[in-house]
Amino acid sequence: MISSEFAVRASNREEAWFSIPSFGARSEIASVAAVLARPAFEVITYLLSYFSGFSQLVNGFFRNLSSGVLFALMPFFMQGSAIAGEPELLSEQEFFRDIPTVYSASRLPQSPEDAPGIVTVITREMIRASGARQVAELFRLVPGFVVGFSRGGQAVVAYQGLSGAISQRMQVMLDGRSLYAPYLFGGVDWNNIPISLDDIERVEVLRGSNSASYGANSFLGVANIITRTAAQSQGALGAIARGQGGIDDWQVRAGGAMGPVNWVISGGQLSDYGLLHLYDTSSRRYASLRGDVRINDSDDFHFSLGGNVNRVGLGTAGRVADPERFEDVSSSYGLLRWRRILSPTHEFSFSWSGTVDSGEDRYFIPVTAKTGITVDYGRRAERNQFEYQHLFRIYDDLRAVWGLEYRNESVQAQQLFNSNEIQKTGGSRAYLNLEYRPAERITLNGGGLVEQDSIGGTHVAPRLAINWKLNPFHTLGVGYSTAFRLPSLFEQRSDWRFTYLGQTIDIRYLSRGGLKPERVAATELTYLGSWPAWRLNADVRLFQERIADLIVQQRYSLPPGLEFSPDSGAFDLRNGGSALLAGIDYQLRWQPTDQFNLVWGHSIVHREASLAYLAQSVPSHTAHLLGIYRFNQRNSVSLAYYLQGPIRWIGETDRVSSRRQLDLGYEQTFMIKDLRNTFSINGRKILGSPDEFRQGQSNPSLLWVRWALNY
């Protein structure tokens, strides 16, 4: 299949915290191919250029192989004996079908009624209806989540809040591979997700903590982005998008099969002007290759590799200390996973993943006609992770999954550590999760995780949850868990200073080390309900989260020998904050008619904190509404409305007032011989509030058109 779309712009460094042709005959396919040839060529060239980056990952794999030998050998000590067709039109029944299985809560495949917590699933159909252009925007469809855009297209995503310009307190995975970025002060770089929304099958989001399954950094919210398999992505696709605000997007994809191997290659570009009245252009090119191999009836193998190159605008006009400039960022990744299925209830797997990230941001601040200060925020980071996982049934009513993981990370960033020395950390973890069903209507989930970190020590995260099915349509649950977030390398070892002619003239951050992990103890009551006669489904989470040892910014006097003026001081990050969050979030899915679908989500939070700005970083309420009306099988309109209460993001000096946004979309699908065409118009922020992330900073209203062709 060939598909084409046609559519009619990093944190502020000043802050320490941070028209459409119609096809009448098959002969005109050649003209389409000509339009798509250039981006297709660029994708292939781009992938080839990343082989060198991928080779570094392979070197890292073998360099760290000795650490994973034990995991590799474990399976051998164990005992045990369709090509996708034309894409389906959007169906209301599919849009609101019950999700039969979720994986991201306990690592066990479970029905939502058996999972330890509330899992929100953003389906492929919801992604289409939302009109989103990038992954971060999808989280506005999850109750309790807040989303903002700072600079350079950099998104911030957080469950409930307690976040600055970096998404530090949630875990995000792509097909099980952690997207944690050690160079980002310990957080998620949403610009370094090398996929298009069309590649995503669904997103599973656990509302709440989940260190019991995924360890450190699974603190407030866990998301797993699950992409389409190679078998689901057969054929060819091409996409072009144009619109206001500099929108200049394209995508190409091709998939096929060679014997037992299904493969898909995908790539594209996202580009726009970003925030209004700022030097905020953002352009990201990405590419990936995926292969799924069915070795025999018991064994399968998965591999993927890819990367992206970003160029973003930073700085402010007229500011010598923060001039307008470009930051260039690149990232490469690899993932290998082998799985052996011994029976429908018994399997184990071994996987390795690696990531190499780098960035260039260097500029000069003149002091005299011939001298000045060179500022270099260049960095390089590597991360390797090995994992062994074993899932099995112990008894008819008892299932378990356990696993071992090993990881190592390194960061080289001269400006942030006052040294070109490579900063290293590593760790290992073991986890066990059990599902026990002592009675037909009762499900108990228990287990936990122990993790050792080279600079953070050893920590434990237990969990216990009980679900009671009142009847086939209504389930109550109660759960308790603890979670932790390990201090990042920057938080533990920062030495962020500026020098002039060899002399220190300013120290922004100087760490005294010794930080403890942040901790949260969460108690929750949950409810899942379904009313088939009304075609209504609901989920509710009532929670209390006690958060201790929050790492906050403090200023202190420099020790003797380091001061460069009588009043010299520096910032440090210390365990000096705490918070109590209590509230309710829920989501309703309603299909009153075959043509009309509605998703409504809402969150209300009462917050208390030891520091006023911590409480202000949690909005008192959020809400979202997603609706779609289909006139027939080929024409539909959609509406998305988002509401977020006032928030002062951590590290910002002012509070952003309540945020409102209304998005609209129209889609039409038609066939011309073997070609499936889709035309759509999307409008973002048709109505909305001006401020974005900080006062005086705003995303523009945008209108673009989209044309899609599949063959």
Side-chain angles (χ1 to χ4, degrees), residues 642-657:
Y642 309 104
L643 172 65
Q644 179 179 294
I647 183 174
R648 176 187 172 187
W649 296 92
I650 294 176
E652 299 302 314
T653 58
D654 47 36
R655 190 168 71 158
V656 178
S657 59

Side-chain angles (χ1 to χ4, degrees), residues 275-441:
L275 299 165
L276 288 170
H277 313 305
L278 290 173
Y279 193 67
D280 198 43
T281 297
S282 174
S283 180
R284 174 167 66 93
R285 293 190 176 187
Y286 58 90
S288 64
L289 172 65
R290 171 177 179 147
D292 299 315
V293 186
R294 186 67 173 174
I295 301 173
N296 53 46
D297 290 342
S298 300
D299 299 278
D300 57 57
F301 179 72
H302 165 83
F303 67 89
S304 60
L305 64 92
N308 54 275
V309 174
N310 306 334
R311 166 161 276 210
V312 299
L314 295 175
T316 305
R319 301 194 68 170
V320 176
D322 185 26
E324 292 183 339
R325 63 195 185 277
F326 282 110
E327 178 185 36
D328 293 306
V329 180
S330 63
S331 177
S332 302
Y333 77 92
L335 173 64
L336 306 174
R337 180 178 292 122
W338 167 57
R339 180 179 63 158
R340 169 162 287 184
I341 303 173
L342 303 176
S343 74
T345 59
H346 189 186
E347 67 176 56
F348 57 82
S349 63
F350 174 76
S351 64
W352 164 80
S353 63
T355 307
V356 176
D357 299 307
S358 63
E360 296 182 7
D361 179 13
R362 182 185 177 96
Y363 58 95
F364 183 77
I365 303 174
V367 177
T368 69
K370 297 183 178 180
T371 64
I373 302 168
T374 298
V375 180
D376 187 356
Y377 288 108
R379 76 263 181 179
R380 178 182 172 84
E382 295 187 25
R383 177 184 175 95
N384 285 276
Q385 181 167 314
F386 299 85
E387 178 182 359
Y388 170 79
Q389 179 172 289
H390 184 195
L391 182 155
F392 59 102
R393 184 181 296 277
I394 303 174
Y395 301 110
D396 289 343
D397 54 6
L398 180 61
R399 294 193 301 159
V401 59
W402 70 277
L404 302 171
E405 294 182 13
Y406 167 79
R407 61 172 171 80
N408 60 53
E409 301 166 359
S410 66
V411 179
Q412 188 177 26
Q414 197 278 335
Q415 189 70 58
L416 301 183
F417 297 100
N418 191 36
S419 170
N420 277 319
E421 181 181 349
I422 298 176
Q423 310 293 321
K424 297 181 178 180
T425 184
S428 56
R429 61 175 65 134
Y431 57 85
L432 170 67
N433 284 289
L434 301 168
E435 180 198 81
Y436 177 47
R437 307 186 66 175
E440 182 179 355
R441 295 187 178 184

